[in-house]
Amino acid sequence: MSVAQVTAVLILDHDGGRIAAKYYLGPENGGPAWAEQGADGAKGQLKFEKQIMKKVCKLPSISDNMDVIVVDDYHVLISGNQEVYCMILAHKTENELAIMEVANAAWECMGLICGGTARISKKTVLMELTKVMLLLDELCENGMPCEIDAASLHARIEMADHHQDEPGAASAPSPTKESGQSSFQAAINSAKSSVLGSLLSRAR
């Protein structure tokens, strides 16, 4: 596996609404200023995501075949369909072929989570949001790819999801683990609330 650093992975709906996202690199560890974590950083992230969508809207179509666009100094590798986009962000100096392997693994693994790439939709992604969030966690660590084989990645996700569901796993967690699980659950709840709020606002 070639070495390359991933800045972020985004799962967006057709209108650019964020379903899930993970920024691995920010100004604190060599990443861009707009990828800063926290409430203030989220504004920069969302602004950059809007820049991405402006270019995506100009593409003829998005299919299972990957598309690549450049936004500022970053390559954005896009896999998707009419409802969901999976985007891998990496600096333009990174090995594009290596980043492409990460993008392929992410999309194929989403297909395994949703029951096949043809079944990836906003609805199925929301139904499997816990596993999708685990995918973002398992795919990279500090931007470095951990696994680029979709089947192996999916197995890791299933194992992590099963462990979370074990009765003993929640009975007496360590303070660090308990904090991590709380943060993870909060991220899922926040993502669900954001998407549901967006849907409700459009319905009015």
Side-chain angles (χ1 to χ4, degrees):
M1 178 175 67
S2 302
V3 178
Q5 269 195 308
V6 174
T7 300
V9 179
L10 311 175
I11 311 295
L12 307 182
D13 65 20
H14 187 263
D15 297 318
R18 182 191 286 189
I19 299 174
K22 177 121 184 175
Y23 283 80
Y24 304 105
L25 301 180
E28 69 282 352
N29 57 356
W34 48 260
E36 182 182 357
Q37 302 296 321
D40 293 335
K43 295 178 182 178
Q45 295 173 10
L46 292 172
K47 183 178 179 181
F48 193 79
E49 290 167 24
K50 287 182 179 179
Q51 287 181 260
I52 293 173
M53 288 306 300
K54 284 181 181 178
K55 290 203 171 186
V56 170
C57 291
K58 296 178 182 178
L59 296 174
S61 64
I62 296 289
S63 65
D64 285 344
N65 296 320
M66 194 179 302
D67 285 282
V68 182
I69 60 174
V70 179
V71 181
D72 292 342
D73 291 328
Y74 285 81
H75 284 143
V76 183
L77 281 69
I78 309 166
S79 302
N81 53 35
Q82 296 301 313
E83 291 193 38
V84 177
Y85 300 129
C86 178
M87 303 179 176
I88 309 296
L89 279 61
H91 194 270
K92 65 182 182 181
T93 57
E94 297 291 345
N95 185 323
E96 192 170 331
L97 291 177
I99 300 300
M100 193 175 294
E101 289 180 329
V102 177
N104 282 329
W107 183 247
E108 289 175 16
C109 189
M110 281 185 64
L112 293 173
I113 290 171
C114 295
T117 52
R119 296 188 62 189
I120 297 176
S121 67
K122 187 172 182 177
K123 180 180 178 180
T124 56
V125 171
L126 286 173
M127 288 175 62
E128 299 291 354
L129 190 57
T130 298
K131 291 182 180 179
V132 172
M133 297 292 283
L134 284 170
L135 165 60
L136 304 188
D137 280 344
E138 296 289 340
L139 186 64
C140 299
E141 183 173 354
N142 296 324
M144 301 303 295
C146 299
E147 182 60 72
I148 58 170
D149 178 77
S152 299
L153 185 58
H154 184 244
R156 291 173 61 165
I157 292 166
E158 290 293 325
M159 185 179 299
D161 184 58
H162 177 71
H163 180 71
Q164 285 185 347
D165 292 337
E166 286 180 351
S171 59
S174 67
T176 302
K177 184 176 181 180
E178 185 176 5
S179 174
Q181 288 176 337
S182 298
S183 298
F184 180 74
Q185 191 59 47
I188 293 175
N189 291 338
S190 175
K192 286 182 177 178
S193 297
S194 176
V195 173
L196 289 174
S198 177
L199 292 171
L200 288 171
S201 65
R202 290 172 194 167
R204 289 170 183 165

